[in-house]
Amino acid sequence: MATENKAKPSTVTNKGKKRKQYLPHNKAVKKKGAYPLRPGVQGFFITCDGGRERQAAHEALDVIDSFFEELVNGKDFGEEPAVLPNKPLNKKITFSYSDDEGDDDDDEGDGEREEEGQEEAIKSNASKEIDASQESLTNKDLDNPNSDDVCHGKVTEETSDNQKDGANIENRADISEEPPAKKQCLETDTSKSATNEKEKSIDKLIEAELNELGDKSKRLFFNLDSGCNGVVFVQMRKRDGVPGPKDIVQHMMTSAASTRKHMSRFILRVLPVEVACCSSEEEITRAMKPLIEQYFPVETQNPRKFAVLYEARANSGIDRMKIINSVAKSVPAPHKVDLSNPDMTIVVEIVKTICLIGVVEKYKELAKYNLRQLTSPKQ
């Protein structure tokens, strides 16, 4: 009895609050939020004000996507945007009233009246001919009451022919007077069907785009958790035939420097990241090889001057000079180091245990890739 009277364990306490539900042993727990930064990714290293990482991430996605579309559509290279074939163009119509237009209208009215008078004259002549033929027949019948039926048949045939001719003339006049209402209706029906097809195609494109945005695996840009205060990382998926992070950031900075147009509220600096690896000297030198072959070839007639930019966050166990020397030594001999006026700058950003590497041009000329400084008004 004592065992039966024991209360069953429940998840509700005496105060009415639910206890925490613990998952079984060794079962993965899905973490809310963005995935953490990891090696092997490419994208954009963005700095912002502390505590504004979420707002800066949303703003960065919009800004990067807009400049990516500009590059893909060819606006950066001076190409004219393609005009849709069936798209109506906006035209400015001006109306000017003068005496000449009134005279033209009067002339047109007179011409219409003349045409109507001619049609009425044709109808009256046809009716007069028919009446005259009928009168002549009646007179002949009265003069010769015993005439042959053959002659009477010929006359009747002639009168029928005259009546047919008059009817044909009236039909022609009616056809000429009939307005082209049927043609207009047909044209409106065809235009409506064409517009309906366009609307359906646009709806399908919008649905496909929404489905692509909803599917995280098809997104081109998405946010990764950097784990540091004031740092945002936007990953870009690797695709063939698509502008890379360096091209997008270079286009962004040049357009910001030329237009001085305000683009963002929370973003400070945007740097391209083409290689991500672990923050060790051996891993960095190994990950740098494809970038060195791409931007600093051995056989070249135009050697470039370069500099190394190093910054570390939440990691104090790495020697700064060792990383800088290893990166500088990996560049082949024709190219030289120039800290005052470099053509290319190798960016090395260390965030916790991840090293982010990228190459930029005109680093000092473009205000160290600081959007806020580039878009601020000149003093």
Side-chain angles (χ1 to χ4, degrees):
M1 293 296 291
T3 57
E4 292 178 359
N5 292 330
K6 285 184 180 180
K8 293 182 180 180
S10 62
T11 58
V12 181
T13 59
N14 296 328
K15 294 182 181 180
K17 295 182 179 179
K18 290 185 178 181
R19 294 179 182 176
K20 291 182 180 180
Q21 295 288 335
Y22 293 98
L23 294 173
H25 185 60
N26 290 334
K27 190 171 183 179
V29 180
K30 186 178 180 181
K31 182 182 176 183
K32 292 183 179 180
Y35 289 100
L37 183 60
R38 61 188 184 276
V41 297
Q42 68 172 7
F44 307 89
F45 178 84
I46 302 166
T47 60
C48 63
D49 296 327
R52 297 290 187 178
E53 292 84 5
R54 185 177 179 182
Q55 293 90 336
H58 289 294
E59 197 174 49
L61 289 172
D62 296 335
V63 173
I64 292 167
D65 194 13
S66 64
F67 281 102
F68 173 76
E69 288 181 356
E70 285 185 7
L71 274 178
V72 170
N73 294 332
K75 292 181 181 179
D76 183 41
F77 302 102
E79 296 179 2
E80 296 181 357
V83 180
L84 295 175
N86 296 325
K87 188 176 180 181
L89 298 175
N90 295 325
K91 293 182 179 179
K92 186 177 179 181
I93 301 171
T94 57
F95 297 94
S96 61
Y97 298 96
S98 63
D99 296 335
D100 297 336
E101 291 181 356
D103 296 338
D104 295 337
D105 294 337
D106 294 337
D107 295 338
E108 290 177 358
D110 294 337
E112 291 177 356
R113 290 170 186 171
E114 289 177 359
E115 290 178 357
E116 292 177 356
Q118 290 176 0
E119 291 172 358
E120 290 177 357
I122 292 167
K123 290 181 180 179
S124 62
N125 291 328
S127 61
K128 287 178 181 179
E129 289 177 358
I130 294 167
D131 294 336
S133 62
Q134 288 178 356
E135 287 177 358
S136 63
L137 288 172
T138 53
N139 292 328
K140 287 179 181 178
D141 293 335
L142 291 171
D143 295 337
N144 300 315
N146 296 323
S147 61
D148 296 333
D149 294 333
V150 178
C151 295
H152 184 69
K154 289 181 180 179
V155 172
T156 53
E157 287 178 359
E158 290 177 357
T159 53
S160 63
D161 293 336
N162 293 328
Q163 288 176 359
K164 288 180 181 179
D165 294 335
N168 291 329
I169 292 166
E170 290 178 356
N171 292 329
R172 288 175 185 173
D174 295 335
I175 290 167
S176 62
E177 290 178 356
E178 186 179 358
K182 295 181 180 179
K183 293 182 180 179
Q184 291 178 358
C185 294
L186 292 172
E187 288 176 358
T188 53
D189 293 337
T190 54
S191 61
K192 285 180 181 179
S193 61
T195 52
N196 291 330
E197 290 177 358
K198 287 181 183 178
E199 289 177 357
K200 288 179 181 179
S201 62
I202 291 168
D203 293 337
K204 289 180 181 178
L205 290 173
I206 292 171
E207 288 179 2
E209 189 173 355
L210 289 173
N211 294 329
E212 186 176 354
L213 291 173
D215 190 1
K216 292 183 179 180
S217 62
K218 292 182 180 180
R219 292 181 186 176
L220 186 60
F221 305 104
F222 54 94
N223 182 32
L224 293 182
D225 185 14
S226 63
C228 289
N229 188 21
V231 175
V232 174
F233 187 84
V234 176
Q235 183 183 353
M236 179 180 178
R237 293 189 183 276
K238 296 179 181 179
R239 293 182 182 177
D240 296 332
V242 170
K246 179 182 178 297
D247 300 328
I248 297 171
V249 175
Q250 189 73 28
H251 173 52
M252 186 189 303
M253 296 301 158
T254 52
S255 62
S258 60
T259 59
R260 294 275 175 179
K261 184 180 178 181
H262 180 74
M263 297 179 185
S264 65
R265 180 182 175 188
F266 305 103
I267 297 173
L268 293 178
R269 184 176 295 171
V270 183
L271 295 171
V273 175
E274 299 180 76
V275 173
C277 61
C278 295
S279 58
S280 63
E281 188 176 353
E282 294 80 9
E283 289 289 330
I284 291 171
T285 52
R286 189 180 68 181
M288 281 287 298
K289 289 181 180 179
L291 285 181
I292 298 299
E293 293 176 358
Q294 182 179 357
Y295 297 107
F296 302 99
V298 178
E299 297 178 358
T300 179
Q301 296 178 358
N302 299 319
R304 294 180 176 179
K305 297 177 287 184
F306 70 95
V308 180
L309 175 66
Y310 174 88
E311 288 184 4
R313 290 174 174 82
N315 192 334
S316 59
I318 299 176
D319 190 1
R320 178 174 178 271
M321 290 309 299
K322 282 185 178 180
I323 301 298
I324 292 174
N325 291 331
S326 63
V327 171
K329 288 178 182 178
S330 62
V331 180
H335 310 282
K336 296 180 181 179
V337 177
D338 189 356
L339 301 178
S340 60
N341 190 18
D343 299 328
M344 310 284 286
T345 303
I346 302 171
V347 180
V348 180
E349 294 281 350
I350 293 178
V351 180
K352 288 188 173 181
T353 59
I354 306 298
C355 179
L356 309 173
I357 306 169
V359 179
V360 296
E361 297 177 3
K362 299 179 181 180
Y363 182 71
K364 291 185 178 180
E365 290 85 343
L366 294 173
K368 298 181 179 180
Y369 281 52
N370 193 323
L371 266 183
R372 186 174 293 179
Q373 190 173 351
L374 280 173
T375 56
S376 61
K378 293 181 179 180
Q379 295 179 356

